[in-house]
Amino acid sequence: MPTLHDPLIIVTDLDGSLLDHHTYRWQPAKSWLKRLQQQAIPLIICSSKTAAEIIPLQQQLGIANTPFIAENGALVQTYTPHGEPERHYTGKRYHDIHHHLMRLQQRSFHFTAFADLSTEEMARITGLTPHNAAQAQMREASEALIWRDSEAQFHHFTRLLAAKGLTVIQGGRFWHVMDQQSNKGAALTWLLSHLQQRHNTVFTTIGLGDSPNDAPMLEHVDFAVIIKGYSQSPVILQRQDREHAYRTTQYGPDGWCEGLDYFISAE
Ligand SMILES: [Mg+2]
């Protein structure tokens, strides 16, 4: 088991993991966040949220100007040695994706994309404040949508997207359309090799997530915490090292703390 004195990196999903699924509160994890900060252990957000949503949240969490993964792995932000932010996109950009989706809407597939919603509608559906809802709409390399059609149509829809190099994955609340090459695992692999080179250190990684879209990330970390969640589909991992994967009994930030308590030994 790792200790707080090892070269650790914590990689975390937000919604339903560090943030409560209903209230978006992270405060139950405050004491663990403080401990990580005291030991200078990097906390890497790896979320379906946009960069515009993640950056102010990082400030609240006391981890401003540190690397993160946004939009389910479609976007990675790192910093130069001089502290300037650098954006890396792992596949198609928003304009392209939106264009394909509009064409499918015209072919009478019924769905509501984030771009189709006013900020007020977004706020009502997500429970976010209008300010935060607007940040959720500032997408750079993926689109989120609510499916309003049959299951048969959905299969047809995913096949047509696949022909354009796009994929649809399930998040906690919405479906996310993005490049087939992009996912949380691929983004994390890229970011870890970047950080290991930069710091000339091999890090031990602990990942935390609650939904199927976290699975590629949870396959790539040394220790995986599957937080109890509300998702319809379970998180299924292929990894065989059972003792390196833990399912929490608690939801959200309480489960987040439970997972770190489980894997990080006090000494
Ligand atoms: Mg989640």
Side-chain angles (χ1 to χ4, degrees):
M1 292 289 212
T3 75
L4 282 174
H5 305 292
D6 291 324
L8 281 178
I9 283 184
I10 312 295
V11 186
T12 187
D13 170 51
L14 291 175
D15 290 344
S17 298
L18 181 56
L19 306 184
D20 182 273
H21 179 78
H22 302 289
T23 63
Y24 298 108
R25 275 170 55 83
W26 51 268
Q27 280 74 6
K30 214 170 182 172
S31 71
W32 251 117
L33 291 169
K34 197 173 161 196
R35 239 178 294 169
L36 296 178
Q37 215 163 18
Q38 281 166 349
Q39 299 296 327
I41 293 171
L43 175 63
I44 294 178
I45 289 173
C46 181
S47 171
S48 61
K49 285 189 182 298
T50 63
E53 291 175 283
I54 291 173
I55 290 167
L57 185 68
Q58 282 189 311
Q59 284 163 359
Q60 289 177 39
L61 295 169
I63 54 167
N65 305 319
T66 61
F68 63 82
I69 296 166
E71 299 191 39
N72 271 314
L75 187 172
V76 184
Q77 177 147 315
T78 57
Y79 289 83
T80 67
H82 305 293
E84 285 122 20
E86 286 182 311
R87 292 259 166 99
H88 311 268
Y89 298 95
T90 56
K92 290 188 175 57
R93 301 287 297 272
Y94 182 82
H95 176 80
D96 254 6
I97 296 167
H98 182 65
H99 171 77
H100 289 307
L101 285 173
M102 277 196 327
R103 293 186 65 148
L104 291 176
Q105 248 173 349
Q106 284 157 4
R107 289 179 62 172
S108 59
F109 287 97
H110 298 292
F111 60 85
T112 306
F114 274 17
D116 300 326
L117 294 167
S118 69
T119 301
E120 290 68 32
E121 287 169 322
M122 262 295 283
R124 192 163 39 74
I125 290 168
T126 56
L128 295 168
T129 64
H131 176 75
N132 292 350
Q135 290 172 335
Q137 287 178 302
M138 295 168 74
R139 311 199 73 84
E140 297 174 48
S142 69
E143 178 60 305
L145 56 87
I146 302 160
W147 187 250
R148 303 194 186 279
D149 214 323
S150 68
E151 208 169 308
Q153 279 282 84
F154 186 74
H155 290 302
H156 189 196
F157 173 75
T158 54
R159 275 199 303 276
L160 291 171
L161 285 177
K164 300 289 180 195
L166 296 172
T167 189
V168 192
I169 57 167
Q170 190 173 23
R173 276 192 174 80
F174 305 104
W175 291 97
H176 298 267
V177 178
M178 58 200 289
D179 195 290
Q180 277 173 348
Q181 306 298 319
S182 307
N183 63 60
K184 287 186 174 187
L188 180 62
T189 304
W190 184 88
L191 178 57
L192 284 177
S193 87
H194 172 88
L195 293 175
Q196 291 185 346
Q197 257 171 22
R198 170 74 58 84
H199 299 280
N200 201 18
T201 304
V202 176
F203 292 98
T204 298
T205 50
I206 301 179
L208 306 101
D210 71 317
S211 295
N213 67 325
D214 296 309
M217 177 266 278
L218 294 172
E219 299 281 13
H220 277 88
V221 288
D222 296 307
F223 297 91
V225 177
I226 303 127
I227 295 176
K228 188 174 186 180
Y230 299 95
S231 172
Q232 305 273 318
S233 343
V235 180
I236 298 164
L237 299 187
Q238 304 300 321
R239 59 190 299 162
Q240 297 302 312
D241 53 346
R242 293 282 164 81
E243 68 283 8
H244 285 203
Y246 174 71
R247 289 180 191 268
T248 69
T249 59
Q250 299 174 85
Y251 292 96
D254 294 315
W256 199 88
C257 296
E258 182 189 333
L260 291 188
D261 286 336
Y262 182 83
F263 280 131
I264 302 178
S265 73
E267 227 354 87

